[in-house]
Amino acid sequence: MPLLQRLLTGWLHAPGSLTARLRAHGPVTVRVLRQGHLRLWPQEQAAIGCRSGHVREVMLMVDGRPAVWARSVTPLLATRGAWRAIKGLGTRPLAELLFAHRQVHRGPLQARRLAAASREGALVRRSWTRGAGPWNDTPPAWVRHSVFHHKGQPLQVLEAFSPWVDTLTTPRGARSRPSRGAQGHTHRRR
């Protein structure tokens, strides 16, 4: 297992709200990079069953420093029903929707390295560079994703971690726990 993956494992497999976990290290703000109707990546198409959908790309900042680049996707039909609130989130974290409702169920977390030569990897790096502002941090190389379901409608969340996040250790009392509504596979740190 590569060193960076070992260091990030606690983050890549952490259950519950990533935003809550990051808040244990400082104020978290959300910078919206892009939102709207877009063609989905091949992995997203397979995960949620459509070729295009509503996409929201954000940067989660800890103390003003870019920590996580996130992309959430859902079918357009879902933005008029189960996931309609995603359009009005603005700079609020998506976790407010995902972990506040009992009817939201989370599928398994899957972590992987972004292929350097892949189109997906290039898009994440380009968006990271644009959204990072004055910070000259190395773009993410590791991502995790999972699909949430609400009233039968899927929403996939992909989170790409800045390598510096591996320096953050979560205080024992602040570890995120699975929320009432976030079901699925969880991995507990020991």
Side-chain angles (χ1 to χ4, degrees), residues 33-34 39-42 44 57 69 71 114-116 118-130:
L33 305 174
R34 177 163 73 156
R39 182 170 178 80
L40 303 182
W41 298 346
E44 295 168 336
E57 294 178 358
W69 179 90
R71 177 175 162 110
L114 276 172
S118 72
R119 183 171 186 271
E120 180 184 35
L123 291 169
V124 169
R125 283 189 303 279
R126 186 170 40 241
S127 183
W128 174 270
T129 302
R130 277 195 317 260

Side-chain angles (χ1 to χ4, degrees), residues 120-188:
E120 180 184 35
L123 291 169
V124 169
R125 283 189 303 279
R126 186 170 40 241
S127 183
W128 174 270
T129 302
R130 277 195 317 260
W135 293 93
N136 194 18
D137 290 328
T138 305
W142 286 90
V143 300
R144 72 178 194 172
H145 58 88
S146 59
V147 178
F148 293 81
H149 285 89
H150 181 49
K151 298 181 181 176
Q153 292 294 321
L155 180 142
Q156 179 178 271
V157 178
L158 179 137
E159 296 154 326
F161 294 82
S162 174
W164 75 266
V165 171
D166 75 331
T167 66
L168 301 176
T169 55
T170 304
R172 183 178 203 126
R175 285 189 184 144
S176 60
R177 292 183 181 85
S179 173
R180 294 180 298 193
Q183 305 297 316
H185 299 289
T186 58
H187 302 281
R188 299 202 184 277

Side-chain angles (χ1 to χ4, degrees), residues 27-104:
V28 174
T29 55
V30 177
R31 179 183 295 162
V32 179
L33 305 174
R34 177 163 73 156
Q35 181 164 312
H37 180 192
L38 295 170
R39 182 170 178 80
L40 303 182
W41 298 346
Q43 183 280 325
E44 295 168 336
Q45 291 177 22
I48 68 168
C50 57
R51 298 176 85 130
S52 66
H54 183 81
V55 176
R56 181 175 188 252
E57 294 178 358
V58 302
M59 189 81 77
L60 297 177
M61 317 285 281
V62 177
D63 277 330
R65 184 177 184 186
V68 176
W69 179 90
R71 177 175 162 110
S72 29
V73 300
T74 193
L76 289 177
L77 180 62
T79 64
R80 294 188 290 273
W83 297 110
R84 70 181 163 273
I86 194 171
K87 286 184 156 184
L89 275 177
T91 57
R92 291 180 300 144
L94 180 60
E96 290 182 11
L97 295 180
L98 300 179
F99 297 98
H101 301 288
R102 290 180 192 261
Q103 298 99 359
V104 175

Side-chain angles (χ1 to χ4, degrees), residues 12-30:
L12 292 170
H13 299 289
S17 166
L18 177 62
T19 303
R21 188 175 173 92
L22 289 170
R23 282 185 176 140
H25 303 286
V28 174
T29 55
V30 177

